[in-house]
Amino acid sequence: MSTKDRMSGNEAVAYAIRQVNPDVMPAFPITPSTEIPQLVSTYIANNEMDTEFIPVESEHSSMSATIGAEAAGARSMTATSSCGLALMWEELLLAASNRMPCVLTLVNRTLSGPININCDHTDGMGARDTGWIQIYAENNQEAYDNYIQAYPIAEDKRVHLPVMVCQDGFITSHAVQNIELNDDKDVKDFVGEYHPEEFLLNTGEPIAIGPYAISNYVMEARKAQEEAMENSKEVIKEVAGRYRKVFGRGFDFFEKYRTEDADYIMIIMGSAAGTAKQAVDDLREKGCKVGVLKLRVFRPFPAEEIAKAVKNAKAIAIMDRCESYNGHGGPLSSEVRAGLFEAKVYTEAVCYTYGLAGRDFMVENVYEIFDELKDIVENGKKYKQHRYINLRTKESN
């Protein structure tokens, strides 16, 4: 049985952590994720959960301790943002390559410089090739739902990879929204108990974790890790389907919002999808056939599924909330266009960068982008690929 409440995104994730009750949580505070370990430590102090909370001296240490606890056989997790994730970099790779099914709650925040504490996806996208599964949330409800699904995905024998559960800093992490909370018992039944087959404290069957490997073995290990990431696609779908059946909410790889007959589709991740949906509703009332494809899972990247979902559109806008510095678009743009090419889907694809370091992204901007797509298709307008939205220039000043 579910209950209705009002919570910030950080509160919602902390509540989910209490319900899952992992064995170990090392953490170090950093804005805007600090509230998550703060709230969890309060739950522990109030005897509402029995997770072992470990205060550490840095984010590097928090991920190191998470890996160590997971290797010992404990269900483990941590939380961080921005520079904290960057300080974990070495350990992120170790967690994935050592096949540790731990969970990290990432509250997305831009990376310096200049110093800024607001949202974009620089941190998560920077870690996209570390071997972690990455799931993004549009709102507080999805941040809550995604965390509960993370362990059944990570711990599945076909996967055994870490999961990064992402939400937009301040926009969802601190904003209070209505939310539907699952019953504690239902969550525990859904997630289940963790019984690893191999772990360091299993004295009867000693193993080595993270040993030195000569060249004869590393490539095969990498291939096995890549196959596990591919396997996770099916597991993500299965877990999402089971979650919908039990709790009535959620998507697998993405949400298709009014895309079935859309001539123009915007592909976007995170909280800005809500802005895009509002604009789509407004434009649909005027007879414009537009839609939004909100990407939930970035790793593994659902290239084939995206291509299938947009193949009938006349043009698509691909929205990046970070910069790749490659001269032609952000990471989402690069991956979507590569997937379209592989699938031989040759719809017009235009790349945009928006919302860096918390820059406003409004429904009027979405109107403008859909107008531009229409102008490109119907009038052959020449357009600039990789255009920044709401960029201040000398002319605008």
PDB file of all heavy atoms in Angstrom, residues 351-366:
ATOM      1  N   CYS A 351      21.852  19.411 -32.980  1.00  0.00           N
ATOM      2  CA  CYS A 351      22.373  19.335 -31.623  1.00  0.00           C
ATOM      3  C   CYS A 351      22.344  20.708 -30.952  1.00  0.00           C
ATOM      4  O   CYS A 351      22.745  21.709 -31.553  1.00  0.00           O
ATOM      5  CB  CYS A 351      23.810  18.827 -31.636  1.00  0.00           C
ATOM      6  SG  CYS A 351      24.019  17.274 -32.535  1.00  0.00           S
ATOM      7  N   TYR A 352      21.883  20.723 -29.704  1.00  0.00           N
ATOM      8  CA  TYR A 352      21.823  21.949 -28.928  1.00  0.00           C
ATOM      9  C   TYR A 352      22.464  21.716 -27.560  1.00  0.00           C
ATOM     10  O   TYR A 352      22.399  20.615 -27.010  1.00  0.00           O
ATOM     11  CB  TYR A 352      20.378  22.395 -28.712  1.00  0.00           C
ATOM     12  CG  TYR A 352      19.607  22.703 -29.972  1.00  0.00           C
ATOM     13  CD1 TYR A 352      18.896  21.705 -30.624  1.00  0.00           C
ATOM     14  CD2 TYR A 352      19.582  23.990 -30.498  1.00  0.00           C
ATOM     15  CE1 TYR A 352      18.173  21.977 -31.781  1.00  0.00           C
ATOM     16  CE2 TYR A 352      18.866  24.282 -31.654  1.00  0.00           C
ATOM     17  CZ  TYR A 352      18.157  23.275 -32.285  1.00  0.00           C
ATOM     18  OH  TYR A 352      17.449  23.546 -33.438  1.00  0.00           O
ATOM     19  N   THR A 353      23.071  22.768 -27.010  1.00  0.00           N
ATOM     20  CA  THR A 353      23.600  22.737 -25.649  1.00  0.00           C
ATOM     21  C   THR A 353      22.810  23.736 -24.823  1.00  0.00           C
ATOM     22  O   THR A 353      22.593  24.870 -25.246  1.00  0.00           O
ATOM     23  CB  THR A 353      25.098  23.097 -25.627  1.00  0.00           C
ATOM     24  OG1 THR A 353      25.815  22.149 -26.424  1.00  0.00           O
ATOM     25  CG2 THR A 353      25.643  23.070 -24.206  1.00  0.00           C
ATOM     26  N   TYR A 354      22.370  23.331 -23.640  1.00  0.00           N
ATOM     27  CA  TYR A 354      21.504  24.186 -22.827  1.00  0.00           C
ATOM     28  C   TYR A 354      21.825  24.003 -21.352  1.00  0.00           C
ATOM     29  O   TYR A 354      22.472  23.029 -20.943  1.00  0.00           O
ATOM     30  CB  TYR A 354      20.026  23.818 -23.057  1.00  0.00           C
ATOM     31  CG  TYR A 354      19.608  22.552 -22.354  1.00  0.00           C
ATOM     32  CD1 TYR A 354      18.947  22.596 -21.135  1.00  0.00           C
ATOM     33  CD2 TYR A 354      19.941  21.296 -22.871  1.00  0.00           C
ATOM     34  CE1 TYR A 354      18.596  21.428 -20.457  1.00  0.00           C
ATOM     35  CE2 TYR A 354      19.603  20.135 -22.204  1.00  0.00           C
ATOM     36  CZ  TYR A 354      18.919  20.203 -20.996  1.00  0.00           C
ATOM     37  OH  TYR A 354      18.606  19.051 -20.331  1.00  0.00           O
ATOM     38  N   GLY A 355      21.391  24.944 -20.529  1.00  0.00           N
ATOM     39  CA  GLY A 355      21.343  24.781 -19.086  1.00  0.00           C
ATOM     40  C   GLY A 355      22.657  24.594 -18.369  1.00  0.00           C
ATOM     41  O   GLY A 355      22.675  24.094 -17.240  1.00  0.00           O
ATOM     42  N   LEU A 356      23.789  25.007 -18.976  1.00  0.00           N
ATOM     43  CA  LEU A 356      25.066  24.801 -18.299  1.00  0.00           C
ATOM     44  C   LEU A 356      25.123  25.618 -17.012  1.00  0.00           C
ATOM     45  O   LEU A 356      24.762  26.799 -16.986  1.00  0.00           O
ATOM     46  CB  LEU A 356      26.234  25.176 -19.214  1.00  0.00           C
ATOM     47  CG  LEU A 356      26.330  24.423 -20.541  1.00  0.00           C
ATOM     48  CD1 LEU A 356      27.609  24.800 -21.276  1.00  0.00           C
ATOM     49  CD2 LEU A 356      26.258  22.909 -20.337  1.00  0.00           C
ATOM     50  N   ALA A 357      25.591  24.969 -15.934  1.00  0.00           N
ATOM     51  CA  ALA A 357      25.757  25.625 -14.634  1.00  0.00           C
ATOM     52  C   ALA A 357      24.481  26.305 -14.169  1.00  0.00           C
ATOM     53  O   ALA A 357      24.509  27.353 -13.541  1.00  0.00           O
ATOM     54  CB  ALA A 357      26.914  26.616 -14.675  1.00  0.00           C
ATOM     55  N   GLY A 358      23.335  25.707 -14.506  1.00  0.00           N
ATOM     56  CA  GLY A 358      22.063  26.209 -14.018  1.00  0.00           C
ATOM     57  C   GLY A 358      21.411  27.285 -14.868  1.00  0.00           C
ATOM     58  O   GLY A 358      20.407  27.866 -14.448  1.00  0.00           O
ATOM     59  N   ARG A 359      21.931  27.552 -16.070  1.00  0.00           N
ATOM     60  CA  ARG A 359      21.320  28.560 -16.945  1.00  0.00           C
ATOM     61  C   ARG A 359      19.873  28.158 -17.236  1.00  0.00           C
ATOM     62  O   ARG A 359      19.585  27.006 -17.546  1.00  0.00           O
ATOM     63  CB  ARG A 359      22.126  28.685 -18.248  1.00  0.00           C
ATOM     64  CG  ARG A 359      21.630  29.738 -19.244  1.00  0.00           C
ATOM     65  CD  ARG A 359      21.759  31.155 -18.721  1.00  0.00           C
ATOM     66  NE  ARG A 359      23.111  31.516 -18.321  1.00  0.00           N
ATOM     67  CZ  ARG A 359      24.028  32.035 -19.151  1.00  0.00           C
ATOM     68  NH1 ARG A 359      23.743  32.241 -20.426  1.00  0.00           N
ATOM     69  NH2 ARG A 359      25.234  32.363 -18.688  1.00  0.00           N
ATOM     70  N   ASP A 360      18.957  29.128 -17.170  1.00  0.00           N
ATOM     71  CA  ASP A 360      17.533  28.848 -17.359  1.00  0.00           C
ATOM     72  C   ASP A 360      17.252  28.229 -18.727  1.00  0.00           C
ATOM     73  O   ASP A 360      17.858  28.599 -19.735  1.00  0.00           O
ATOM     74  CB  ASP A 360      16.712  30.132 -17.227  1.00  0.00           C
ATOM     75  CG  ASP A 360      16.573  30.594 -15.787  1.00  0.00           C
ATOM     76  OD1 ASP A 360      16.785  29.758 -14.881  1.00  0.00           O
ATOM     77  OD2 ASP A 360      16.265  31.772 -15.564  1.00  0.00           O
ATOM     78  N   PHE A 361      16.319  27.293 -18.728  1.00  0.00           N
ATOM     79  CA  PHE A 361      15.808  26.682 -19.948  1.00  0.00           C
ATOM     80  C   PHE A 361      14.295  26.709 -19.832  1.00  0.00           C
ATOM     81  O   PHE A 361      13.728  26.070 -18.949  1.00  0.00           O
ATOM     82  CB  PHE A 361      16.321  25.250 -20.089  1.00  0.00           C
ATOM     83  CG  PHE A 361      15.878  24.553 -21.345  1.00  0.00           C
ATOM     84  CD1 PHE A 361      16.328  24.969 -22.582  1.00  0.00           C
ATOM     85  CD2 PHE A 361      15.009  23.466 -21.280  1.00  0.00           C
ATOM     86  CE1 PHE A 361      15.928  24.312 -23.748  1.00  0.00           C
ATOM     87  CE2 PHE A 361      14.606  22.810 -22.433  1.00  0.00           C
ATOM     88  CZ  PHE A 361      15.068  23.235 -23.666  1.00  0.00           C
ATOM     89  N   MET A 362      13.633  27.461 -20.700  1.00  0.00           N
ATOM     90  CA  MET A 362      12.218  27.771 -20.541  1.00  0.00           C
ATOM     91  C   MET A 362      11.392  27.221 -21.694  1.00  0.00           C
ATOM     92  O   MET A 362      11.926  26.846 -22.739  1.00  0.00           O
ATOM     93  CB  MET A 362      12.053  29.284 -20.439  1.00  0.00           C
ATOM     94  CG  MET A 362      12.791  29.897 -19.245  1.00  0.00           C
ATOM     95  SD  MET A 362      12.904  31.702 -19.290  1.00  0.00           S
ATOM     96  CE  MET A 362      14.135  31.937 -20.577  1.00  0.00           C
ATOM     97  N   VAL A 363      10.069  27.184 -21.482  1.00  0.00           N
ATOM     98  CA  VAL A 363       9.192  26.674 -22.532  1.00  0.00           C
ATOM     99  C   VAL A 363       9.354  27.470 -23.816  1.00  0.00           C
ATOM    100  O   VAL A 363       9.262  26.912 -24.918  1.00  0.00           O
ATOM    101  CB  VAL A 363       7.715  26.659 -22.072  1.00  0.00           C
ATOM    102  CG1 VAL A 363       7.480  25.609 -21.002  1.00  0.00           C
ATOM    103  CG2 VAL A 363       7.269  28.032 -21.588  1.00  0.00           C
ATOM    104  N   GLU A 364       9.639  28.766 -23.699  1.00  0.00           N
ATOM    105  CA  GLU A 364       9.845  29.577 -24.898  1.00  0.00           C
ATOM    106  C   GLU A 364      11.033  29.095 -25.717  1.00  0.00           C
ATOM    107  O   GLU A 364      11.027  29.180 -26.949  1.00  0.00           O
ATOM    108  CB  GLU A 364      10.047  31.052 -24.506  1.00  0.00           C
ATOM    109  CG  GLU A 364       8.807  31.750 -23.983  1.00  0.00           C
ATOM    110  CD  GLU A 364       8.514  31.426 -22.526  1.00  0.00           C
ATOM    111  OE1 GLU A 364       9.390  30.797 -21.869  1.00  0.00           O
ATOM    112  OE2 GLU A 364       7.419  31.779 -22.043  1.00  0.00           O
ATOM    113  N   ASN A 365      12.049  28.571 -25.026  1.00  0.00           N
ATOM    114  CA  ASN A 365      13.194  28.018 -25.740  1.00  0.00           C
ATOM    115  C   ASN A 365      12.814  26.765 -26.524  1.00  0.00           C
ATOM    116  O   ASN A 365      13.314  26.529 -27.628  1.00  0.00           O
ATOM    117  CB  ASN A 365      14.314  27.680 -24.766  1.00  0.00           C
ATOM    118  CG  ASN A 365      14.799  28.869 -23.973  1.00  0.00           C
ATOM    119  OD1 ASN A 365      14.899  28.808 -22.752  1.00  0.00           O
ATOM    120  ND2 ASN A 365      15.104  29.971 -24.639  1.00  0.00           N
ATOM    121  N   VAL A 366      11.923  25.967 -25.947  1.00  0.00           N
ATOM    122  CA  VAL A 366      11.470  24.759 -26.637  1.00  0.00           C
ATOM    123  C   VAL A 366      10.643  25.140 -27.863  1.00  0.00           C
ATOM    124  O   VAL A 366      10.799  24.542 -28.937  1.00  0.00           O
ATOM    125  CB  VAL A 366      10.668  23.848 -25.688  1.00  0.00           C
ATOM    126  CG1 VAL A 366      10.262  22.557 -26.398  1.00  0.00           C
ATOM    127  CG2 VAL A 366      11.478  23.522 -24.437  1.00  0.00           C
TER     128      VAL A 366
END
